Short mmCIF file of all heavy atoms in Angstrom, two decimals:
data_model
loop_
_atom_site.label_atom_id
_atom_site.label_comp_id
_atom_site.label_asym_id
_atom_site.label_seq_id
_atom_site.Cartn_x
_atom_site.Cartn_y
_atom_site.Cartn_z
N MET A 4 -16.25 9.53 -10.63
CA MET A 4 -15.26 10.20 -11.50
C MET A 4 -15.59 11.69 -11.56
O MET A 4 -16.70 12.07 -11.96
CB MET A 4 -15.34 9.56 -12.90
CG MET A 4 -14.43 10.22 -13.91
SD MET A 4 -12.74 9.70 -13.79
CE MET A 4 -12.32 9.66 -15.52
N THR A 5 -14.65 12.50 -11.16
CA THR A 5 -14.92 13.93 -11.08
C THR A 5 -14.48 14.70 -12.33
O THR A 5 -14.65 15.89 -12.40
CB THR A 5 -14.24 14.54 -9.84
OG1 THR A 5 -12.94 13.98 -9.73
CG2 THR A 5 -15.00 14.27 -8.59
N THR A 6 -13.91 13.98 -13.29
CA THR A 6 -13.55 14.67 -14.53
C THR A 6 -14.82 15.00 -15.30
O THR A 6 -15.64 14.13 -15.56
CB THR A 6 -12.65 13.77 -15.40
OG1 THR A 6 -11.50 13.41 -14.66
CG2 THR A 6 -12.21 14.51 -16.66
N SER A 7 -14.99 16.26 -15.65
CA SER A 7 -16.16 16.62 -16.44
C SER A 7 -15.82 16.50 -17.91
O SER A 7 -14.66 16.50 -18.30
CB SER A 7 -16.60 18.04 -16.12
OG SER A 7 -15.79 18.96 -16.79
N ASN A 8 -16.85 16.37 -18.73
CA ASN A 8 -16.61 16.28 -20.16
C ASN A 8 -16.32 17.64 -20.76
O ASN A 8 -15.87 17.73 -21.89
CB ASN A 8 -17.82 15.66 -20.86
CG ASN A 8 -17.89 14.17 -20.58
OD1 ASN A 8 -16.87 13.49 -20.59
ND2 ASN A 8 -19.07 13.68 -20.28
N ASP A 9 -16.63 18.66 -19.99
CA ASP A 9 -16.43 20.03 -20.48
C ASP A 9 -14.96 20.40 -20.54
O ASP A 9 -14.21 20.14 -19.59
CB ASP A 9 -17.11 21.01 -19.53
CG ASP A 9 -18.56 21.21 -19.87
OD1 ASP A 9 -18.99 20.67 -20.90
OD2 ASP A 9 -19.23 21.91 -19.11
N PHE A 10 -14.62 21.03 -21.60
CA PHE A 10 -13.27 21.60 -21.69
C PHE A 10 -13.36 23.11 -21.52
O PHE A 10 -14.39 23.71 -21.85
CB PHE A 10 -12.67 21.31 -23.08
CG PHE A 10 -12.25 19.88 -23.25
CD1 PHE A 10 -13.16 18.90 -23.57
CD2 PHE A 10 -10.92 19.53 -23.08
CE1 PHE A 10 -12.77 17.59 -23.73
CE2 PHE A 10 -10.52 18.21 -23.24
CZ PHE A 10 -11.45 17.24 -23.56
N PHE A 11 -12.34 23.70 -20.98
CA PHE A 11 -12.25 25.15 -21.01
C PHE A 11 -11.01 25.51 -21.82
O PHE A 11 -10.07 24.72 -21.92
CB PHE A 11 -12.23 25.76 -19.60
CG PHE A 11 -11.14 25.24 -18.71
CD1 PHE A 11 -9.90 25.87 -18.69
CD2 PHE A 11 -11.35 24.14 -17.90
CE1 PHE A 11 -8.89 25.40 -17.86
CE2 PHE A 11 -10.35 23.66 -17.08
CZ PHE A 11 -9.11 24.29 -17.06
N VAL A 12 -11.06 26.68 -22.40
CA VAL A 12 -10.00 27.11 -23.31
C VAL A 12 -9.42 28.42 -22.81
O VAL A 12 -10.17 29.34 -22.44
CB VAL A 12 -10.56 27.30 -24.74
CG1 VAL A 12 -9.47 27.76 -25.69
CG2 VAL A 12 -11.21 26.02 -25.25
N ILE A 13 -8.11 28.49 -22.77
CA ILE A 13 -7.44 29.73 -22.38
C ILE A 13 -6.46 30.11 -23.47
O ILE A 13 -5.57 29.33 -23.81
CB ILE A 13 -6.70 29.54 -21.05
CG1 ILE A 13 -7.71 29.23 -19.96
CG2 ILE A 13 -5.89 30.78 -20.70
CD1 ILE A 13 -7.12 28.60 -18.75
N LYS A 14 -6.66 31.29 -24.04
CA LYS A 14 -5.74 31.78 -25.06
C LYS A 14 -4.99 32.98 -24.50
O LYS A 14 -5.60 33.98 -24.08
CB LYS A 14 -6.51 32.19 -26.32
CG LYS A 14 -5.59 32.76 -27.39
CD LYS A 14 -6.33 33.20 -28.61
CE LYS A 14 -5.35 33.79 -29.62
NZ LYS A 14 -6.02 34.31 -30.81
N ALA A 15 -3.68 32.88 -24.48
CA ALA A 15 -2.86 33.96 -23.94
C ALA A 15 -2.84 35.14 -24.90
O ALA A 15 -2.62 34.98 -26.09
CB ALA A 15 -1.45 33.46 -23.68
N LEU A 16 -3.07 36.34 -24.37
CA LEU A 16 -3.03 37.55 -25.18
C LEU A 16 -1.71 38.30 -24.97
O LEU A 16 -1.49 39.35 -25.57
CB LEU A 16 -4.22 38.46 -24.83
CG LEU A 16 -5.60 37.83 -25.02
CD1 LEU A 16 -6.69 38.78 -24.55
CD2 LEU A 16 -5.82 37.45 -26.48
N GLU A 17 -0.87 37.77 -24.12
CA GLU A 17 0.46 38.33 -23.90
C GLU A 17 1.39 37.19 -23.49
O GLU A 17 0.93 36.09 -23.16
CB GLU A 17 0.42 39.41 -22.81
CG GLU A 17 0.06 38.85 -21.44
CD GLU A 17 0.11 39.88 -20.32
OE1 GLU A 17 0.55 41.01 -20.55
OE2 GLU A 17 -0.30 39.51 -19.20
N ASP A 18 2.68 37.46 -23.50
CA ASP A 18 3.63 36.46 -23.05
C ASP A 18 3.54 36.29 -21.54
O ASP A 18 3.26 37.25 -20.82
CB ASP A 18 5.07 36.89 -23.41
CG ASP A 18 5.35 36.78 -24.90
OD1 ASP A 18 4.55 36.13 -25.61
OD2 ASP A 18 6.36 37.33 -25.35
N GLY A 19 3.78 35.10 -21.08
CA GLY A 19 3.90 34.86 -19.65
C GLY A 19 2.60 34.76 -18.88
O GLY A 19 2.57 35.04 -17.68
N VAL A 20 1.53 34.36 -19.55
CA VAL A 20 0.28 34.13 -18.83
C VAL A 20 0.40 32.83 -18.03
O VAL A 20 0.90 31.83 -18.54
CB VAL A 20 -0.92 34.04 -19.81
CG1 VAL A 20 -2.18 33.55 -19.12
CG2 VAL A 20 -1.16 35.39 -20.46
N ASN A 21 -0.02 32.87 -16.79
CA ASN A 21 0.07 31.68 -15.94
C ASN A 21 -1.29 31.04 -15.75
O ASN A 21 -2.26 31.72 -15.41
CB ASN A 21 0.62 32.05 -14.56
CG ASN A 21 2.13 32.02 -14.55
OD1 ASN A 21 2.73 30.98 -14.75
ND2 ASN A 21 2.73 33.18 -14.35
N VAL A 22 -1.34 29.74 -15.96
CA VAL A 22 -2.55 28.96 -15.69
C VAL A 22 -2.18 28.03 -14.55
O VAL A 22 -1.31 27.16 -14.69
CB VAL A 22 -2.98 28.15 -16.92
CG1 VAL A 22 -4.23 27.34 -16.62
CG2 VAL A 22 -3.20 29.06 -18.12
N ILE A 23 -2.82 28.24 -13.43
CA ILE A 23 -2.44 27.51 -12.21
C ILE A 23 -3.56 26.57 -11.81
O ILE A 23 -4.72 27.00 -11.66
CB ILE A 23 -2.14 28.51 -11.08
CG1 ILE A 23 -0.95 29.40 -11.48
CG2 ILE A 23 -1.87 27.79 -9.77
CD1 ILE A 23 -0.90 30.72 -10.78
N GLY A 24 -3.24 25.29 -11.68
CA GLY A 24 -4.22 24.30 -11.27
C GLY A 24 -4.22 24.15 -9.77
O GLY A 24 -3.17 24.04 -9.14
N LEU A 25 -5.42 24.16 -9.18
CA LEU A 25 -5.56 24.01 -7.72
C LEU A 25 -6.19 22.66 -7.40
O LEU A 25 -7.08 22.20 -8.12
CB LEU A 25 -6.44 25.14 -7.17
CG LEU A 25 -5.90 26.54 -7.46
CD1 LEU A 25 -6.98 27.58 -7.22
CD2 LEU A 25 -4.71 26.83 -6.59
N THR A 26 -5.71 22.06 -6.35
CA THR A 26 -6.10 20.68 -6.03
C THR A 26 -7.55 20.56 -5.57
O THR A 26 -8.10 21.48 -4.97
CB THR A 26 -5.21 20.10 -4.92
OG1 THR A 26 -5.27 20.97 -3.78
CG2 THR A 26 -3.79 19.95 -5.37
N ARG A 27 -8.11 19.41 -5.84
CA ARG A 27 -9.43 19.05 -5.34
C ARG A 27 -9.27 18.43 -3.95
O ARG A 27 -8.25 17.81 -3.65
CB ARG A 27 -10.07 18.03 -6.30
CG ARG A 27 -11.54 17.76 -6.04
CD ARG A 27 -12.11 16.81 -7.07
NE ARG A 27 -12.12 17.37 -8.41
CZ ARG A 27 -13.03 18.24 -8.86
NH1 ARG A 27 -13.99 18.66 -8.07
NH2 ARG A 27 -12.96 18.69 -10.10
N GLY A 28 -10.26 18.61 -3.10
CA GLY A 28 -10.20 18.00 -1.77
C GLY A 28 -10.14 19.03 -0.67
O GLY A 28 -10.30 20.22 -0.92
N THR A 29 -9.89 18.55 0.53
CA THR A 29 -9.92 19.46 1.70
C THR A 29 -8.80 20.49 1.64
O THR A 29 -8.93 21.59 2.15
CB THR A 29 -9.79 18.65 3.00
OG1 THR A 29 -8.69 17.74 2.85
CG2 THR A 29 -11.03 17.88 3.32
N ASP A 30 -7.72 20.09 1.01
CA ASP A 30 -6.54 20.95 0.91
C ASP A 30 -6.54 21.63 -0.46
O ASP A 30 -6.46 20.94 -1.47
CB ASP A 30 -5.34 20.01 1.04
CG ASP A 30 -4.12 20.72 1.51
OD1 ASP A 30 -4.27 21.76 2.17
OD2 ASP A 30 -3.01 20.23 1.21
N THR A 31 -6.64 22.93 -0.49
CA THR A 31 -6.62 23.63 -1.79
C THR A 31 -5.28 24.29 -1.98
O THR A 31 -4.96 25.30 -1.34
CB THR A 31 -7.73 24.70 -1.83
OG1 THR A 31 -8.97 24.08 -1.52
CG2 THR A 31 -7.83 25.33 -3.21
N ARG A 32 -4.48 23.68 -2.84
CA ARG A 32 -3.14 24.23 -3.08
C ARG A 32 -2.79 24.13 -4.55
O ARG A 32 -3.41 23.41 -5.30
CB ARG A 32 -2.11 23.50 -2.22
CG ARG A 32 -2.15 22.01 -2.42
CD ARG A 32 -1.15 21.25 -1.60
NE ARG A 32 -1.40 19.84 -1.78
CZ ARG A 32 -1.10 19.13 -2.87
NH1 ARG A 32 -0.48 19.71 -3.88
NH2 ARG A 32 -1.40 17.85 -2.97
N PHE A 33 -1.76 24.89 -4.91
CA PHE A 33 -1.27 24.84 -6.29
C PHE A 33 -0.67 23.47 -6.56
O PHE A 33 0.05 22.93 -5.73
CB PHE A 33 -0.12 25.85 -6.48
CG PHE A 33 -0.51 27.29 -6.49
CD1 PHE A 33 -1.75 27.71 -6.02
CD2 PHE A 33 0.37 28.24 -6.97
CE1 PHE A 33 -2.09 29.07 -6.03
CE2 PHE A 33 0.03 29.58 -6.99
CZ PHE A 33 -1.19 30.00 -6.51
N HIS A 34 -0.96 22.87 -7.69
CA HIS A 34 -0.25 21.64 -8.03
C HIS A 34 0.38 21.70 -9.41
O HIS A 34 1.19 20.85 -9.78
CB HIS A 34 -1.16 20.42 -7.93
CG HIS A 34 -2.19 20.34 -9.02
ND1 HIS A 34 -1.90 19.88 -10.27
CD2 HIS A 34 -3.50 20.66 -9.03
CE1 HIS A 34 -3.00 19.94 -11.01
NE2 HIS A 34 -3.97 20.41 -10.28
N HIS A 35 -0.01 22.71 -10.18
CA HIS A 35 0.54 22.79 -11.53
C HIS A 35 0.50 24.22 -12.01
O HIS A 35 -0.49 24.91 -11.83
CB HIS A 35 -0.29 21.90 -12.47
CG HIS A 35 0.26 21.83 -13.86
ND1 HIS A 35 1.06 20.79 -14.27
CD2 HIS A 35 0.17 22.67 -14.91
CE1 HIS A 35 1.42 21.00 -15.53
NE2 HIS A 35 0.88 22.14 -15.95
N SER A 36 1.59 24.65 -12.61
CA SER A 36 1.60 25.99 -13.19
C SER A 36 2.09 25.90 -14.62
O SER A 36 3.15 25.32 -14.88
CB SER A 36 2.52 26.88 -12.35
OG SER A 36 2.61 28.13 -12.96
N GLU A 37 1.30 26.39 -15.51
CA GLU A 37 1.61 26.34 -16.94
C GLU A 37 1.80 27.76 -17.43
O GLU A 37 0.98 28.63 -17.16
CB GLU A 37 0.42 25.70 -17.67
CG GLU A 37 0.69 25.24 -19.06
CD GLU A 37 1.62 24.04 -19.12
OE1 GLU A 37 1.50 23.16 -18.24
OE2 GLU A 37 2.45 24.00 -20.03
N LYS A 38 2.90 27.99 -18.13
CA LYS A 38 3.14 29.33 -18.65
C LYS A 38 2.83 29.35 -20.13
O LYS A 38 3.37 28.55 -20.89
CB LYS A 38 4.59 29.74 -18.38
CG LYS A 38 4.80 31.22 -18.49
CD LYS A 38 6.09 31.67 -17.83
CE LYS A 38 5.80 32.61 -16.67
NZ LYS A 38 6.99 32.96 -15.91
N LEU A 39 1.96 30.27 -20.54
CA LEU A 39 1.60 30.39 -21.95
C LEU A 39 2.17 31.69 -22.51
O LEU A 39 2.08 32.74 -21.86
CB LEU A 39 0.08 30.41 -22.13
CG LEU A 39 -0.73 29.24 -21.58
CD1 LEU A 39 -2.21 29.44 -21.90
CD2 LEU A 39 -0.25 27.92 -22.16
N ASP A 40 2.70 31.63 -23.71
CA ASP A 40 3.11 32.84 -24.40
C ASP A 40 2.00 33.30 -25.33
O ASP A 40 1.05 32.55 -25.60
CB ASP A 40 4.43 32.60 -25.16
CG ASP A 40 5.63 32.60 -24.22
OD1 ASP A 40 5.53 33.24 -23.15
OD2 ASP A 40 6.62 31.94 -24.52
N ARG A 41 2.11 34.54 -25.77
CA ARG A 41 1.07 35.14 -26.62
C ARG A 41 0.65 34.20 -27.75
O ARG A 41 1.52 33.63 -28.44
CB ARG A 41 1.62 36.45 -27.20
CG ARG A 41 0.61 37.26 -27.97
CD ARG A 41 1.27 38.56 -28.44
NE ARG A 41 0.53 39.16 -29.53
CZ ARG A 41 -0.57 39.88 -29.37
NH1 ARG A 41 -1.02 40.12 -28.15
NH2 ARG A 41 -1.20 40.38 -30.40
N ASN A 42 -0.64 34.06 -27.91
CA ASN A 42 -1.25 33.23 -28.95
C ASN A 42 -1.15 31.73 -28.70
O ASN A 42 -1.60 30.95 -29.52
CB ASN A 42 -0.70 33.54 -30.35
CG ASN A 42 -1.21 34.88 -30.85
OD1 ASN A 42 -2.29 35.30 -30.47
ND2 ASN A 42 -0.42 35.54 -31.66
N GLU A 43 -0.61 31.34 -27.57
CA GLU A 43 -0.68 29.92 -27.21
C GLU A 43 -2.05 29.65 -26.58
O GLU A 43 -2.59 30.48 -25.85
CB GLU A 43 0.43 29.55 -26.23
CG GLU A 43 1.77 29.37 -26.92
CD GLU A 43 2.83 28.82 -25.98
OE1 GLU A 43 2.90 29.27 -24.82
OE2 GLU A 43 3.61 27.97 -26.43
N VAL A 44 -2.55 28.48 -26.88
CA VAL A 44 -3.87 28.10 -26.41
C VAL A 44 -3.75 26.84 -25.55
O VAL A 44 -3.03 25.91 -25.92
CB VAL A 44 -4.80 27.82 -27.61
CG1 VAL A 44 -6.14 27.26 -27.14
CG2 VAL A 44 -5.01 29.07 -28.43
N MET A 45 -4.40 26.84 -24.42
CA MET A 45 -4.45 25.63 -23.59
C MET A 45 -5.90 25.17 -23.51
O MET A 45 -6.81 25.97 -23.28
CB MET A 45 -3.91 25.94 -22.19
CG MET A 45 -3.90 24.76 -21.27
SD MET A 45 -2.95 25.12 -19.80
CE MET A 45 -3.35 23.69 -18.81
N ILE A 46 -6.08 23.90 -23.73
CA ILE A 46 -7.41 23.28 -23.66
C ILE A 46 -7.34 22.27 -22.53
O ILE A 46 -6.46 21.40 -22.54
CB ILE A 46 -7.76 22.60 -24.99
CG1 ILE A 46 -7.68 23.61 -26.13
CG2 ILE A 46 -9.13 21.96 -24.93
CD1 ILE A 46 -7.60 22.98 -27.50
N ALA A 47 -8.19 22.40 -21.53
CA ALA A 47 -8.07 21.53 -20.35
C ALA A 47 -9.44 21.22 -19.76
O ALA A 47 -10.45 21.82 -20.13
CB ALA A 47 -7.18 22.20 -19.31
N GLN A 48 -9.42 20.29 -18.82
CA GLN A 48 -10.64 19.89 -18.12
C GLN A 48 -10.42 19.99 -16.61
O GLN A 48 -9.28 20.03 -16.15
CB GLN A 48 -10.97 18.43 -18.42
CG GLN A 48 -11.46 18.16 -19.80
CD GLN A 48 -11.56 16.67 -20.05
OE1 GLN A 48 -10.55 15.97 -19.99
NE2 GLN A 48 -12.76 16.19 -20.30
N PHE A 49 -11.51 20.00 -15.88
CA PHE A 49 -11.41 19.79 -14.44
C PHE A 49 -11.39 18.29 -14.22
O PHE A 49 -12.11 17.55 -14.89
CB PHE A 49 -12.59 20.45 -13.72
CG PHE A 49 -12.51 21.95 -13.76
CD1 PHE A 49 -13.30 22.67 -14.63
CD2 PHE A 49 -11.61 22.62 -12.96
CE1 PHE A 49 -13.20 24.05 -14.70
CE2 PHE A 49 -11.50 24.00 -13.01
CZ PHE A 49 -12.29 24.71 -13.88
N THR A 50 -10.52 17.85 -13.34
CA THR A 50 -10.29 16.42 -13.16
C THR A 50 -10.40 16.04 -11.68
O THR A 50 -10.66 16.90 -10.84
CB THR A 50 -8.86 16.04 -13.63
OG1 THR A 50 -7.93 16.63 -12.72
CG2 THR A 50 -8.60 16.52 -15.04
N GLU A 51 -10.13 14.80 -11.39
CA GLU A 51 -10.15 14.38 -9.97
C GLU A 51 -9.02 15.06 -9.20
O GLU A 51 -9.09 15.15 -7.98
CB GLU A 51 -10.05 12.85 -9.85
CG GLU A 51 -8.79 12.27 -10.46
CD GLU A 51 -8.69 10.77 -10.23
OE1 GLU A 51 -8.86 10.32 -9.09
OE2 GLU A 51 -8.42 10.06 -11.21
N HIS A 52 -8.01 15.56 -9.89
CA HIS A 52 -6.91 16.25 -9.21
C HIS A 52 -7.08 17.77 -9.20
O HIS A 52 -6.52 18.44 -8.34
CB HIS A 52 -5.58 15.93 -9.90
CG HIS A 52 -5.29 14.47 -9.99
ND1 HIS A 52 -5.10 13.69 -8.88
CD2 HIS A 52 -5.20 13.64 -11.05
CE1 HIS A 52 -4.89 12.44 -9.25
NE2 HIS A 52 -4.96 12.38 -10.57
N THR A 53 -7.81 18.28 -10.17
CA THR A 53 -7.91 19.73 -10.35
C THR A 53 -9.35 20.18 -10.19
O THR A 53 -10.22 19.76 -10.94
CB THR A 53 -7.42 20.11 -11.77
OG1 THR A 53 -6.12 19.57 -11.98
CG2 THR A 53 -7.39 21.62 -11.96
N SER A 54 -9.59 21.06 -9.20
CA SER A 54 -10.96 21.53 -9.00
C SER A 54 -11.13 23.00 -9.36
O SER A 54 -12.24 23.47 -9.54
CB SER A 54 -11.39 21.34 -7.55
OG SER A 54 -10.64 22.19 -6.73
N ALA A 55 -10.01 23.70 -9.44
CA ALA A 55 -10.09 25.12 -9.74
C ALA A 55 -8.85 25.55 -10.51
O ALA A 55 -7.80 24.88 -10.44
CB ALA A 55 -10.21 25.93 -8.45
N VAL A 56 -9.01 26.62 -11.23
CA VAL A 56 -7.90 27.12 -12.03
C VAL A 56 -7.81 28.62 -11.82
O VAL A 56 -8.82 29.31 -11.77
CB VAL A 56 -8.12 26.81 -13.53
CG1 VAL A 56 -7.13 27.54 -14.40
CG2 VAL A 56 -8.04 25.31 -13.78
N LYS A 57 -6.60 29.08 -11.68
CA LYS A 57 -6.37 30.51 -11.53
C LYS A 57 -5.58 30.98 -12.74
O LYS A 57 -4.57 30.36 -13.11
CB LYS A 57 -5.59 30.73 -10.24
CG LYS A 57 -5.11 32.13 -9.99
CD LYS A 57 -4.57 32.20 -8.58
CE LYS A 57 -3.69 33.39 -8.39
NZ LYS A 57 -3.28 33.54 -6.99
N VAL A 58 -6.05 32.05 -13.37
CA VAL A 58 -5.37 32.57 -14.56
C VAL A 58 -4.81 33.93 -14.23
O VAL A 58 -5.53 34.82 -13.77
CB VAL A 58 -6.34 32.69 -15.76
CG1 VAL A 58 -5.62 33.23 -16.99
CG2 VAL A 58 -6.97 31.33 -16.07
N ARG A 59 -3.53 34.09 -14.43
CA ARG A 59 -2.87 35.37 -14.16
C ARG A 59 -2.34 35.93 -15.47
O ARG A 59 -1.53 35.27 -16.13
CB ARG A 59 -1.73 35.14 -13.16
CG ARG A 59 -1.10 36.40 -12.65
CD ARG A 59 0.02 36.09 -11.67
NE ARG A 59 -0.49 35.71 -10.35
CZ ARG A 59 0.19 34.96 -9.48
NH1 ARG A 59 1.36 34.48 -9.80
NH2 ARG A 59 -0.33 34.68 -8.32
N GLY A 60 -2.80 37.10 -15.83
CA GLY A 60 -2.34 37.74 -17.07
C GLY A 60 -3.47 37.95 -18.06
O GLY A 60 -4.59 37.50 -17.84
N ASN A 61 -3.14 38.62 -19.13
CA ASN A 61 -4.16 38.93 -20.15
C ASN A 61 -4.45 37.69 -20.98
O ASN A 61 -3.56 37.16 -21.64
CB ASN A 61 -3.69 40.05 -21.07
CG ASN A 61 -3.49 41.36 -20.31
OD1 ASN A 61 -3.92 41.49 -19.16
ND2 ASN A 61 -2.84 42.30 -20.95
N ALA A 62 -5.69 37.26 -20.95
CA ALA A 62 -6.05 36.04 -21.66
C ALA A 62 -7.52 36.05 -22.02
O ALA A 62 -8.34 36.74 -21.40
CB ALA A 62 -5.76 34.83 -20.78
N HIS A 63 -7.82 35.27 -23.03
CA HIS A 63 -9.20 35.04 -23.43
C HIS A 63 -9.59 33.68 -22.85
O HIS A 63 -8.93 32.68 -23.15
CB HIS A 63 -9.28 35.06 -24.96
CG HIS A 63 -10.66 35.12 -25.49
ND1 HIS A 63 -10.95 35.47 -26.78
CD2 HIS A 63 -11.85 34.88 -24.89
CE1 HIS A 63 -12.26 35.44 -26.95
NE2 HIS A 63 -12.82 35.07 -25.83
N ILE A 64 -10.63 33.65 -22.05
CA ILE A 64 -11.02 32.42 -21.36
C ILE A 64 -12.43 32.04 -21.81
O ILE A 64 -13.34 32.87 -21.77
CB ILE A 64 -11.02 32.64 -19.82
CG1 ILE A 64 -9.63 33.09 -19.37
CG2 ILE A 64 -11.45 31.38 -19.10
CD1 ILE A 64 -9.61 33.66 -17.96
N GLN A 65 -12.56 30.80 -22.21
CA GLN A 65 -13.85 30.30 -22.68
C GLN A 65 -14.24 29.10 -21.82
O GLN A 65 -13.46 28.16 -21.69
CB GLN A 65 -13.69 29.79 -24.10
CG GLN A 65 -14.47 30.53 -25.12
CD GLN A 65 -14.24 29.98 -26.51
OE1 GLN A 65 -13.60 28.95 -26.69
NE2 GLN A 65 -14.75 30.69 -27.48
N THR A 66 -15.44 29.16 -21.25
CA THR A 66 -15.95 27.99 -20.53
C THR A 66 -17.40 27.78 -20.95
O THR A 66 -17.97 28.60 -21.66
CB THR A 66 -15.92 28.19 -18.99
OG1 THR A 66 -16.97 29.09 -18.63
CG2 THR A 66 -14.60 28.72 -18.50
N SER A 67 -17.99 26.71 -20.47
CA SER A 67 -19.40 26.47 -20.78
C SER A 67 -20.29 27.53 -20.12
O SER A 67 -21.46 27.66 -20.44
CB SER A 67 -19.81 25.07 -20.33
OG SER A 67 -19.53 24.93 -18.97
N HIS A 68 -19.73 28.27 -19.17
CA HIS A 68 -20.49 29.33 -18.50
C HIS A 68 -20.37 30.65 -19.21
O HIS A 68 -21.03 31.62 -18.83
CB HIS A 68 -20.03 29.47 -17.05
CG HIS A 68 -20.25 28.24 -16.25
ND1 HIS A 68 -21.47 27.91 -15.71
CD2 HIS A 68 -19.43 27.22 -15.96
CE1 HIS A 68 -21.37 26.75 -15.09
NE2 HIS A 68 -20.14 26.31 -15.24
N GLY A 69 -19.52 30.70 -20.19
CA GLY A 69 -19.37 31.95 -20.93
C GLY A 69 -17.94 32.23 -21.30
O GLY A 69 -17.06 31.39 -21.15
N ASP A 70 -17.79 33.43 -21.72
CA ASP A 70 -16.58 33.88 -22.38
C ASP A 70 -16.08 35.11 -21.65
O ASP A 70 -16.89 35.96 -21.32
CB ASP A 70 -17.07 34.34 -23.77
CG ASP A 70 -16.14 33.92 -24.85
OD1 ASP A 70 -15.49 32.89 -24.69
OD2 ASP A 70 -16.08 34.65 -25.84
N MET A 71 -14.82 35.21 -21.40
CA MET A 71 -14.36 36.47 -20.85
C MET A 71 -12.94 36.79 -21.26
O MET A 71 -12.13 35.91 -21.54
CB MET A 71 -14.50 36.51 -19.33
CG MET A 71 -13.54 35.66 -18.58
SD MET A 71 -13.25 36.22 -16.88
CE MET A 71 -14.64 37.23 -16.55
N ILE A 72 -12.68 38.09 -21.30
CA ILE A 72 -11.32 38.53 -21.57
C ILE A 72 -10.77 39.05 -20.26
O ILE A 72 -11.36 39.93 -19.63
CB ILE A 72 -11.30 39.63 -22.65
CG1 ILE A 72 -11.98 39.11 -23.90
CG2 ILE A 72 -9.86 40.09 -22.90
CD1 ILE A 72 -11.32 39.37 -25.20
N ASN A 73 -9.70 38.46 -19.82
CA ASN A 73 -9.03 38.91 -18.61
C ASN A 73 -7.99 39.94 -19.03
O ASN A 73 -6.98 39.59 -19.64
CB ASN A 73 -8.36 37.69 -17.94
CG ASN A 73 -7.94 37.97 -16.53
OD1 ASN A 73 -8.51 38.84 -15.87
ND2 ASN A 73 -6.95 37.25 -16.05
N ASN A 74 -8.30 41.18 -18.73
CA ASN A 74 -7.46 42.27 -19.21
C ASN A 74 -6.96 43.09 -18.04
O ASN A 74 -7.66 43.25 -17.06
CB ASN A 74 -8.31 43.17 -20.11
CG ASN A 74 -7.68 43.34 -21.47
OD1 ASN A 74 -6.46 43.30 -21.58
ND2 ASN A 74 -8.51 43.53 -22.46
N GLU A 75 -5.78 43.62 -18.17
CA GLU A 75 -5.19 44.43 -17.11
C GLU A 75 -6.10 45.60 -16.71
O GLU A 75 -6.24 45.91 -15.54
CB GLU A 75 -3.85 45.00 -17.57
CG GLU A 75 -2.71 44.60 -16.67
CD GLU A 75 -1.38 44.72 -17.37
OE1 GLU A 75 -1.20 45.70 -18.11
OE2 GLU A 75 -0.53 43.85 -17.17
N GLU A 76 -6.73 46.22 -17.71
CA GLU A 76 -7.52 47.43 -17.45
C GLU A 76 -8.85 47.14 -16.74
O GLU A 76 -9.43 48.02 -16.14
CB GLU A 76 -7.85 48.20 -18.74
CG GLU A 76 -6.65 48.55 -19.61
CD GLU A 76 -6.27 47.43 -20.54
OE1 GLU A 76 -7.08 47.09 -21.41
OE2 GLU A 76 -5.17 46.87 -20.41
N ASP A 77 -9.36 45.91 -16.85
CA ASP A 77 -10.69 45.62 -16.28
C ASP A 77 -10.66 45.48 -14.77
O ASP A 77 -9.68 45.07 -14.20
CB ASP A 77 -11.24 44.33 -16.90
CG ASP A 77 -11.50 44.50 -18.39
OD1 ASP A 77 -11.59 45.65 -18.82
OD2 ASP A 77 -11.59 43.48 -19.08
N1 LIG B 120 -2.59 16.29 -14.21
C1 LIG B 120 -3.55 17.37 -14.07
C2 LIG B 120 -4.92 16.76 -13.75
O1 LIG B 120 -5.26 15.70 -14.26
C3 LIG B 120 -3.55 18.14 -15.36
C4 LIG B 120 -4.59 19.20 -15.48
C5 LIG B 120 -5.89 18.98 -15.84
C6 LIG B 120 -4.46 20.61 -15.27
N2 LIG B 120 -6.56 20.17 -15.89
C7 LIG B 120 -5.74 21.19 -15.55
C8 LIG B 120 -3.41 21.46 -14.90
C9 LIG B 120 -5.95 22.55 -15.45
C10 LIG B 120 -3.64 22.81 -14.81
C11 LIG B 120 -4.89 23.36 -15.08
O2 LIG B 120 -5.65 17.34 -12.97
#
């Protein structure tokens, strides 16, 4: 089972933040795109289907590895 118990949290700091799930396995492709508006929070895990996540836009991202603010200026 490749689902980890860890959750990661993404809080949108602007409208239209995209959280894109990328597939696990030999083929790495987009399989899900979630659009968050300002102050919306998504709580998710890595699963047998999802091995990576791409976040586009200004957002606060929290994982077990740390905390970061994804900002246009950075
Ligand atoms: N059905 C997807 C899965 O089980 C849902 C999902 C889990 C997801 N984590 C995600 C989608 C992270 C986007 C980003 O893998």
